[in-house]
Each structure stands twice: as structure tokens, then as C-alpha cells.
């Protein structure tokens, strides 16, 4: 995949492509739905469908998949955590084009499970689209954007451990999805909400997880 870098690119601007469009969440799901065909869909198929510059779209899709019934696939939570961590790091350093290692790109998701996940995701996506709109743009740029990105990176790196803690990976992924939605719709209020939820995430996992 392309590896060119930008100099001083803002992380929000690095979302790129369709990520600048308000109300594009359903379009992101449509792009993924077009990849369904054979018995399985690879991570590479999904990334190519979204575009190599669509950092926030990639983060959103995989975090949503991890909150859907497809999260029951063994190893999916760990894979999503690794994908999100790599995406966030590349946004922070200002890359213009997304790179993922080959062993992740070759990972496959059964088409029937992905199709079910997409159908499951459409209702909450349509609900969010009713309210999301460009606002509080200051929260979409440095230095304000760095704090939630650092917290998301930390959460993503812990997601492989969450494989053994039921629901914890889905809770973490839902918060990451809120952040990615804020970038996609240019809604700083959602980014702020993600920051608040990230701060409360350990308590939420304890309360709603198996120990709650």
C-alpha cells in the first residue's frame, strides 16, 4: 500500500477522502456491503473499499464490527485493537496513506457474519446521522485532539487482553466508534463525548462486564 507521508498534517485532516463529509456514515456501510460476494472478506478488501486515505472510516468500520454479533469470532477483538492502534499512530505522525501489515490484511471475516453485522449496524448509524453535524471544530485539531487519540491508543493496545473478558471489547469498541464518528462528521461534540467516555471506560467495563 502507499506509504507517503505529510508534513505537519493535522490528525483530523488526515482522515481524508469521504471522511470530510457530514452524514457519510451510511455510505461507509454501503462501501463495505459492496465487498460481500464470496465466502469471506479480507481486511484488505475492506480497506480497499474504503480507500487508503480514509483513516477514520477504517477505524469506524472495524470498531463497529467489534460491537456487533461478529465480535464472537475468535481473535476479532485482538485484531480490531491492533488495527485501531496502527491507524491512530499513523494519524498522529501525519501519514497521508494507511499502511497495515500483511498478516492483518490477509485476515478474513465470513461474508455471512459481516453481512449480519452490517445490517445490525445500520439502525444505530441512522440514529447518529440524525444528530451529528459539523460543530466545535477546535476539538478536531491539535492540541485538543491528541488526548483522546492517546487514550484510544492505550485502549486499543489492551484489547487483545479483553478477549478473555466478555463484553469489555465491545464496550471499548463502541467508544472508539464514537470518536471515529466525530471525525467523519466533523462533530467535535462527539469527540468530547468520546473523551469523557474514555475516562470512564475502566469503570464501565467493571460495571457492565462479568464482575459487575
Amino acid at each position: 500500500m502507499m506509504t507517503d507521508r505529510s508534513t505537519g498534517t493535522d490528525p483530523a485532516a488526515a482522515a481524508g477522502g469521504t471522511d470530510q463529509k457530514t452524514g457519510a456514515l451510511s455510505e461507509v456501510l454501503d462501501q463495505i456491503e459492496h465487498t460481500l460476494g464470496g465466502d469471506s472478506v479480507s481486511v484488505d478488501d475492506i480497506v480497499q473499499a474504503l480507500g487508503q486515505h480514509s483513516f477514520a472510516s477504517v477505524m469506524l468500520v472495524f470498531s463497529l464490527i467489534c460491537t456487533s454479533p461478529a465480535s464472537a469470532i475468535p481473535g476479532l477483538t485482538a485484531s480490531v485493537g491492533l488495527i485501531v492502534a496502527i491507524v491512530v499512530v499513523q494519524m498522529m505522525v501525519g501519514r497521508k496513506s494507511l499502511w497495515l501489515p500483511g498478516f492483518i490484511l490477509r485476515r478474513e471475516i465470513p461474508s455471512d457474519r459481516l453481512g449480519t453485522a452490517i445490517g445490525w449496524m445500520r439502525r444505530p448509524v441512522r440514529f447518529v446521522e440524525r444528530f451529528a453535524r459539523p460543530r466545535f471544530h477546535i476539538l478536531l485539531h491539535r492540541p485538543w485532539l491528541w488526548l483522546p487519540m492517546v487514550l484510544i491508543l492505550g485502549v486499543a493496545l489492551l484489547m487483545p487482553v479483553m478477549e478473555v473478558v466478555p463484553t469489555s471489547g465491545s464496550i471499548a469498541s463502541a467508544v472508539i466508534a464514537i470518536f471515529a464518528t466525530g471525525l467523519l462528521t466533523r462533530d467535535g461534540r462527539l469527540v468530547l463525548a468520546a473523551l469523557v467516555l474514555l475516562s470512564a471506560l475502566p469503570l464501565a467495563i467493571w460495571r457492565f462486564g462479568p464482575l459487575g
Side-chain angles (χ1 to χ4, degrees), residues 1 28 30-52 58 61-62 65 100 102 104-111 114:
M1 300 181 76
V28 170
D30 292 341
Q31 289 173 304
I32 301 305
E33 199 165 42
H34 291 157
T35 67
L36 301 178
D39 294 332
S40 62
V41 177
S42 69
V43 171
D44 190 36
D45 292 332
I46 294 174
V47 173
Q48 293 298 331
L50 294 173
Q52 293 173 318
V58 171
V61 165
F62 285 103
I65 289 174
L100 291 173
I104 291 181
L105 293 174
R106 291 189 293 270
R107 179 75 193 264
E108 296 187 338
I109 302 173
S111 293
L114 182 57

Side-chain angles (χ1 to χ4, degrees), residues 67-155:
T67 65
S68 76
S71 62
I73 299 174
L76 181 67
T77 298
S79 296
V80 169
L82 186 55
I83 290 170
V84 170
I86 293 173
V87 169
V88 169
V89 167
Q90 291 181 78
M91 290 177 68
M92 292 176 73
V93 300
R95 289 185 70 97
K96 297 174 78 174
S97 182
L98 178 63
W99 173 87
L100 291 173
F103 74 92
I104 291 181
L105 293 174
R106 291 189 293 270
R107 179 75 193 264
E108 296 187 338
I109 302 173
S111 293
D112 57 344
R113 291 204 181 188
L114 182 57
T116 299
I118 292 172
W120 180 91
M121 288 185 277
R122 287 197 180 277
R123 179 172 292 181
V125 161
R126 284 195 294 266
F127 175 80
V128 171
E129 283 181 331
R130 291 171 55 191
F131 303 100
R133 63 179 183 273
R135 55 191 154 186
F136 298 157
H137 286 175
I138 189 173
L139 297 177
L140 300 172
H141 301 286
R142 294 185 177 101
W144 309 105
L145 197 58
W146 281 96
L147 181 55
M149 292 181 75
V150 169
L151 292 175
I152 285 174
L153 177 59
V155 169

